[in-house]
Amino acid sequence: MTNTLLQTAREIHVELEARETTWEFAPGRTVTAWGYQGLVPGPTIVGRVGDTLVAHLTNHLPEPTVIHWHGLRLPALMDGTAAVQRVVQPGERFEYRFTLPDAGTFWYHSHANETVQIERGLYGALVVLGPDEPVFDADRLLVLDDLKLDRRGRIAKTALFDRHSGREGEVLLINGRSEPTFTIAAGQIERWRLVNACSARYVRLSLGGRPFRLIGSDGGLRTEPVLVTETLLTPGDRVELAVGPFDDEGAELAIESLPYRRTSMKRPRRDVWGTLRVGPRAPSVASIPTTLASIAPLVPAGPITPTRTVRLGARMTFHGHDWLINDEQHHHDVPVKVGELQVWDIVNETGMDHPFHLHGFFFQVIAVDGVPCAPTSWEDTVNVVGKGRVTIAFRPDDRPGKWMYHCHILEHHAAGMMAHFEVVR
Ligand code: C2O
Ligand code: CU
């Protein structure tokens, strides 16, 4: 995708009517779900940096809702949480309006009663193109989700156990469909944008063991491509890949997740999500630069002094587990000042992994378990392994207001592993 023409900023209008729908996730297999415009995932929104997105939410659900724009550096009042707006009641409308500041792969989802609303289908992808994107033969979006059904084939009710380990379903979905097949022409290189919209499932992605290149993360392109054979997507995460070229026409590769142990309560297993078929050869115009983005480290090399410690914890109660930040459910953390460098130590005191998500600001991962690392990407979601520690850095730009961070395992967020904090001038 090249943008050689001079483009002027546009206003993109999207209707997002949240309503009940019949979701056909496999041929002849349907469930009653909730979707934006009746679709699961909701409409894919594509814009360019500098465009203004105007999204009209209409609530035709039987309960209140709001839309959070995951990964977008937007004004606090547009963040779509109950902390910054009155939740949208059944029958009401709300207009989100903000400019798209960064190129990358983002997503939007309900931020009310999330364990129910996102599970039922209230999520979609948002792709923002920069002025000078690398050239690929195709651009493909894969939104991953899993669905838990009961014995009668309906979306299962929340189980008590979900509060502990998070909800995982047995039906694995790409773009709302079970086990899809994609075809890539032999000789071509595609850009794949992946979003993990699962409530709790970690995806250790593999393409039949073939190498692919990691080119982007939560906050757009990374510094340079890296050749790998797998990559981990926690709930909330995005990753961008260069897939191909393949030479073996007719080959079928499994789009799969390898075993990953995020908690001792679940037996890790390998799962197949879909198939990638190598089709007839076609010419390629793809060219991937060796340098994709320049990311200046926020913190100079040398000893790291954290400005804040965020402890992820748990407490046994009579109804199972409460999930905590600094020993408190739904913690209220101290404010941060616009322009002041933040160095946060995220310490996981539990035995289970948690995907830490910060609203509204990208951060750099500057150390893992105290070992410094040079930042190669911008992130808004990072995995903190059980008993592990991740140090992040960000400098809040001038968008004062109420923000939050939380574990993106939806059941943990709901059970208290979240905090409010304010950005002040
Ligand atoms: Cu996608 Cu508050 O999160
Ligand atoms: Cu968690």
Side-chain angles (χ1 to χ4, degrees):
M1 234 169 288
T2 36
N3 293 308
T4 42
L5 301 173
L6 253 188
Q7 277 150 350
T8 46
R10 306 169 299 170
E11 220 173 71
I12 305 170
H13 285 259
V14 265
E15 284 295 332
L16 296 175
E17 184 196 349
R19 61 172 159 92
E20 190 178 284
T21 187
T22 302
W23 174 10
E24 187 172 16
F25 60 90
R29 291 186 72 190
T30 58
V31 280
T32 300
W34 289 352
Y36 296 113
Q37 299 297 91
L39 303 170
V40 186
T44 298
I45 304 170
V46 182
R48 295 192 207 97
V49 169
D51 288 349
T52 298
L53 177 64
V54 186
H56 307 272
L57 166 64
T58 309
N59 184 3
H60 283 150
L61 305 171
E63 61 182 46
T65 194
V66 273
I67 299 178
H68 170 56
W69 305 89
H70 184 127
L72 275 282
R73 293 190 306 129
L74 35 65
L77 289 176
M78 291 291 120
D79 194 41
T81 69
V84 294
Q85 73 173 94
R86 199 177 139 269
V87 290
V88 181
Q89 298 298 321
E92 286 184 357
R93 271 168 77 80
F94 186 84
E95 182 188 285
Y96 293 94
R97 174 186 284 267
F98 50 86
T99 54
L100 302 172
D102 303 295
T105 307
F106 307 102
W107 64 304
Y108 60 95
H109 61 76
S110 159
H111 216 281
N113 192 16
E114 288 166 64
T115 55
V116 170
Q117 294 195 5
I118 298 181
E119 176 72 7
R120 289 196 183 168
L122 291 172
Y123 65 85
L126 165 56
V127 173
V128 185
L129 301 170
D132 196 16
E133 296 282 352
V135 180
F136 286 89
D137 296 309
D139 202 315
R140 204 185 281 281
L141 177 70
L142 292 87
V143 185
L144 311 179
D145 187 14
D146 61 348
L147 191 55
K148 188 174 169 187
L149 303 176
D150 65 16
R151 266 178 293 147
R152 292 169 63 186
R154 299 167 306 192
I155 295 179
K157 295 223 165 64
T158 306
L160 215 59
F161 181 73
D162 294 343
R163 185 179 171 99
H164 178 270
S165 295
R167 176 186 177 103
E168 291 193 8
E170 63 293 335
V171 183
L172 305 179
L173 306 160
I174 301 179
N175 302 336
R177 295 289 171 277
S178 166
E179 297 199 24
T181 296
F182 304 102
T183 303
I184 181 171
Q188 290 203 330
I189 307 176
E190 297 186 350
R191 179 180 191 161
W192 283 24
R193 302 166 180 272
L194 288 109
V195 179
N196 184 351
C198 296
S199 302
R201 185 181 285 271
Y202 279 48
V203 181
R204 187 181 152 208
L205 183 83
S206 157
L207 299 176
R210 301 291 182 97
F212 52 83
R213 278 165 286 183
L214 224 48
I215 60 162
S217 196
D218 297 339
L221 294 171
R222 38 177 297 123
T223 49
E224 49 204 36
V226 198
L227 196 67
V228 294
T229 54
E230 59 174 76
T231 187
L232 182 69
L233 282 112
T234 70
D237 249 342
R238 282 91 62 218
V239 77
E240 296 186 13
L241 314 176
V243 175
F246 300 111
D247 278 325
D248 40 351
E249 283 174 51
E252 294 204 338
L253 316 178
I255 303 170
E256 58 192 345
S257 52
L258 304 175
Y260 181 80
R261 184 177 287 275
R262 66 176 178 86
T263 157
S264 56
M265 304 290 285
K266 286 215 182 287
R267 180 194 299 251
R269 47 174 285 184
R270 178 196 194 109
D271 288 298
V272 174
W273 292 69
T275 304
L276 178 62
R277 185 174 293 148
V278 183
R281 176 167 296 276
S284 174
V285 295
S287 87
I288 306 163
T290 48
T291 302
L292 294 166
S294 83
I295 296 176
L298 286 170
V299 176
I304 295 169
T305 322
T307 57
R308 177 174 305 199
T309 300
V310 174
R311 289 180 296 108
L312 314 176
R315 172 171 66 206
M316 289 291 273
T317 62
F318 59 91
H319 50 254
H321 268 75
D322 285 347
W323 295 99
L324 313 171
I325 302 278
N326 293 356
D327 303 318
E328 199 174 42
Q329 282 181 291
H330 308 283
H331 180 58
H332 282 265
D333 208 339
V334 292
V336 304
K337 265 195 113 169
V338 167
E340 251 176 31
L341 179 68
Q342 300 298 309
V343 179
W344 292 9
D345 235 351
I346 321 292
V347 181
N348 185 349
E349 296 178 335
T350 76
M352 186 188 300
D353 288 21
H354 300 283
F356 173 90
H357 170 49
L358 175 66
H359 277 216
F361 301 88
F362 293 124
F363 54 78
Q364 299 178 348
V365 173
I366 61 166
V368 176
D369 290 328
V371 180
C373 47
T376 53
S377 61
W378 290 103
E379 305 289 342
D380 58 53
T381 308
V382 65
N383 190 38
V384 190
V385 299
K387 301 290 177 193
R389 177 159 67 102
V390 171
T391 312
I392 64 168
F394 71 103
R395 193 185 294 280
D397 55 315
D398 191 19
R399 285 173 298 122
K402 290 181 176 159
W403 298 95
M404 62 172 66
Y405 58 80
H406 58 84
C407 173
H408 218 287
I409 291 176
L410 303 181
E411 292 73 18
H412 292 178
H413 177 191
M417 192 177 270
M418 66 88 64
H420 299 275
F421 70 99
E422 210 161 329
V423 173
V424 296
R425 285 205 173 114

